[in-house]
Short mmCIF file of all heavy atoms in Angstrom, two decimals:
data_model
loop_
_atom_site.label_atom_id
_atom_site.label_comp_id
_atom_site.label_asym_id
_atom_site.label_seq_id
_atom_site.Cartn_x
_atom_site.Cartn_y
_atom_site.Cartn_z
N ARG A 223 8.63 1.32 5.57
CA ARG A 223 9.85 0.74 5.84
C ARG A 223 9.92 -0.66 5.42
O ARG A 223 10.96 -1.16 4.84
CB ARG A 223 10.22 0.84 7.27
CG ARG A 223 10.59 2.26 7.81
CD ARG A 223 10.97 2.24 9.16
NE ARG A 223 11.22 3.62 9.54
CZ ARG A 223 11.22 3.99 10.83
NH1 ARG A 223 10.98 3.19 11.85
NH2 ARG A 223 11.53 5.27 11.15
N LEU A 229 11.89 -4.19 -1.11
CA LEU A 229 12.45 -3.73 -2.34
C LEU A 229 14.02 -3.86 -2.42
O LEU A 229 14.62 -4.27 -3.49
CB LEU A 229 12.11 -2.30 -2.65
CG LEU A 229 12.54 -1.62 -3.86
CD1 LEU A 229 11.87 -2.36 -5.11
CD2 LEU A 229 12.12 -0.11 -3.91
N SER A 230 14.68 -3.56 -1.22
CA SER A 230 16.12 -3.68 -1.25
C SER A 230 16.51 -5.09 -1.36
O SER A 230 17.52 -5.35 -2.13
CB SER A 230 16.63 -3.15 0.16
OG SER A 230 16.24 -1.77 0.31
N ILE A 231 15.86 -5.95 -0.86
CA ILE A 231 16.21 -7.39 -0.94
C ILE A 231 16.06 -7.84 -2.42
O ILE A 231 16.90 -8.58 -2.93
CB ILE A 231 15.45 -8.22 -0.03
CG1 ILE A 231 15.94 -8.00 1.43
CG2 ILE A 231 15.53 -9.72 -0.32
CD1 ILE A 231 14.89 -8.63 2.45
N ALA A 245 9.96 -11.65 -12.85
CA ALA A 245 9.94 -12.21 -11.51
C ALA A 245 10.29 -11.14 -10.58
O ALA A 245 9.57 -11.07 -9.45
CB ALA A 245 11.06 -13.35 -11.34
N ASN A 254 3.99 -4.94 -2.43
CA ASN A 254 3.00 -3.87 -2.23
C ASN A 254 1.76 -4.41 -1.53
O ASN A 254 1.24 -3.71 -0.64
CB ASN A 254 2.52 -3.35 -3.63
CG ASN A 254 3.59 -2.15 -4.07
OD1 ASN A 254 3.43 -1.08 -3.46
ND2 ASN A 254 4.41 -2.57 -4.92
N SER A 264 -2.12 -3.60 12.69
CA SER A 264 -2.08 -2.59 13.68
C SER A 264 -3.41 -1.87 13.86
O SER A 264 -3.58 -1.12 14.88
CB SER A 264 -0.98 -1.52 13.26
OG SER A 264 -1.37 -0.87 12.12
N GLN A 269 -9.95 2.54 16.54
CA GLN A 269 -11.08 3.31 16.08
C GLN A 269 -11.53 2.89 14.72
O GLN A 269 -10.66 2.41 13.82
CB GLN A 269 -10.76 4.82 16.03
CG GLN A 269 -10.39 5.46 17.43
CD GLN A 269 -11.68 5.54 18.19
OE1 GLN A 269 -12.24 4.57 18.79
NE2 GLN A 269 -12.27 6.82 18.17
N VAL A 277 -7.96 -0.74 5.79
CA VAL A 277 -8.76 -1.56 4.78
C VAL A 277 -8.70 -0.91 3.39
O VAL A 277 -8.54 -1.59 2.38
CB VAL A 277 -10.21 -1.68 5.25
CG1 VAL A 277 -11.05 -2.23 4.11
CG2 VAL A 277 -10.27 -2.70 6.35
N TYR A 279 -6.22 1.04 2.28
CA TYR A 279 -4.89 0.79 1.90
C TYR A 279 -4.72 -0.61 1.28
O TYR A 279 -4.21 -0.74 0.07
CB TYR A 279 -3.94 0.94 3.04
CG TYR A 279 -2.43 0.84 2.78
CD1 TYR A 279 -1.92 1.63 1.66
CD2 TYR A 279 -1.62 0.01 3.52
CE1 TYR A 279 -0.54 1.54 1.52
CE2 TYR A 279 -0.27 0.01 3.31
CZ TYR A 279 0.23 0.83 2.28
OH TYR A 279 1.62 0.66 2.10
N LEU A 282 -6.99 -0.78 -2.27
CA LEU A 282 -6.39 -0.05 -3.34
C LEU A 282 -5.14 -0.89 -3.84
O LEU A 282 -4.93 -1.00 -5.05
CB LEU A 282 -5.85 1.37 -2.85
CG LEU A 282 -7.04 2.37 -2.66
CD1 LEU A 282 -6.46 3.65 -2.18
CD2 LEU A 282 -7.98 2.46 -3.79
N PHE A 293 -0.55 -8.74 -16.68
CA PHE A 293 0.15 -7.93 -17.74
C PHE A 293 1.66 -7.52 -17.24
O PHE A 293 2.07 -6.55 -17.70
CB PHE A 293 -0.65 -6.72 -18.07
CG PHE A 293 -2.08 -6.99 -18.36
CD1 PHE A 293 -3.01 -6.68 -17.47
CD2 PHE A 293 -2.35 -7.62 -19.56
CE1 PHE A 293 -4.41 -6.97 -17.74
CE2 PHE A 293 -3.72 -7.85 -19.78
CZ PHE A 293 -4.67 -7.49 -18.94
N THR A 307 14.48 3.50 -23.60
CA THR A 307 15.50 2.71 -24.07
C THR A 307 14.80 1.44 -24.78
O THR A 307 13.67 1.19 -24.65
CB THR A 307 16.32 2.10 -22.82
OG1 THR A 307 15.37 1.49 -21.92
CG2 THR A 307 17.00 3.15 -22.03
N LYS A 313 19.17 -12.73 -20.91
CA LYS A 313 19.25 -14.19 -20.77
C LYS A 313 20.24 -14.71 -19.73
O LYS A 313 19.97 -15.60 -18.93
CB LYS A 313 19.50 -14.90 -22.14
CG LYS A 313 18.52 -14.48 -23.20
CD LYS A 313 17.24 -15.20 -22.90
CE LYS A 313 16.18 -14.86 -24.08
NZ LYS A 313 14.74 -15.05 -23.71
N HIS A 321 20.53 -5.13 -16.11
CA HIS A 321 19.27 -4.65 -16.55
C HIS A 321 18.10 -4.67 -15.47
O HIS A 321 17.32 -3.71 -15.42
CB HIS A 321 18.83 -5.26 -17.85
CG HIS A 321 19.60 -4.99 -18.94
ND1 HIS A 321 19.74 -3.73 -19.64
CD2 HIS A 321 20.59 -5.74 -19.60
CE1 HIS A 321 20.67 -3.79 -20.59
NE2 HIS A 321 21.26 -5.04 -20.62
N THR A 327 13.25 -1.14 -9.55
CA THR A 327 13.06 0.16 -8.82
C THR A 327 12.03 1.03 -9.62
O THR A 327 11.21 1.66 -8.95
CB THR A 327 14.34 0.91 -8.65
OG1 THR A 327 14.97 1.05 -9.85
CG2 THR A 327 15.26 0.16 -7.67
N LEU A 342 -7.32 8.77 -7.54
CA LEU A 342 -7.51 10.11 -7.06
C LEU A 342 -8.92 10.56 -7.50
O LEU A 342 -9.61 11.11 -6.53
CB LEU A 342 -6.42 11.06 -7.49
CG LEU A 342 -6.41 12.40 -6.83
CD1 LEU A 342 -6.21 12.25 -5.35
CD2 LEU A 342 -5.37 13.23 -7.48
N LEU A 362 -17.72 2.87 19.95
CA LEU A 362 -16.38 3.54 19.96
C LEU A 362 -16.45 5.05 19.96
O LEU A 362 -17.48 5.57 19.60
CB LEU A 362 -15.58 3.08 18.78
CG LEU A 362 -15.28 1.48 18.74
CD1 LEU A 362 -14.66 1.20 17.44
CD2 LEU A 362 -14.39 1.11 19.85
N VAL A 375 -6.48 5.80 20.73
CA VAL A 375 -7.32 5.95 21.91
C VAL A 375 -7.34 4.54 22.54
O VAL A 375 -7.62 3.50 21.91
CB VAL A 375 -8.77 6.26 21.46
CG1 VAL A 375 -9.65 6.36 22.69
CG2 VAL A 375 -8.76 7.71 20.79
N THR A 382 -14.85 3.70 29.44
CA THR A 382 -14.34 5.11 29.47
C THR A 382 -12.96 5.32 28.95
O THR A 382 -12.18 4.26 29.06
CB THR A 382 -14.42 5.69 30.97
OG1 THR A 382 -13.58 4.85 31.79
CG2 THR A 382 -15.79 5.63 31.44
#
Side-chain angles (χ1 to χ4, degrees):
R223 286 183 182 161
L229 182 63
S230 298
I231 292 168
N254 273 284
S264 67
Q269 294 288 80
V277 168
Y279 186 51
L282 293 179
F293 309 104
T307 58
K313 301 289 184 200
H321 295 283
T327 55
L342 191 60
L362 294 175
V375 177
T382 59

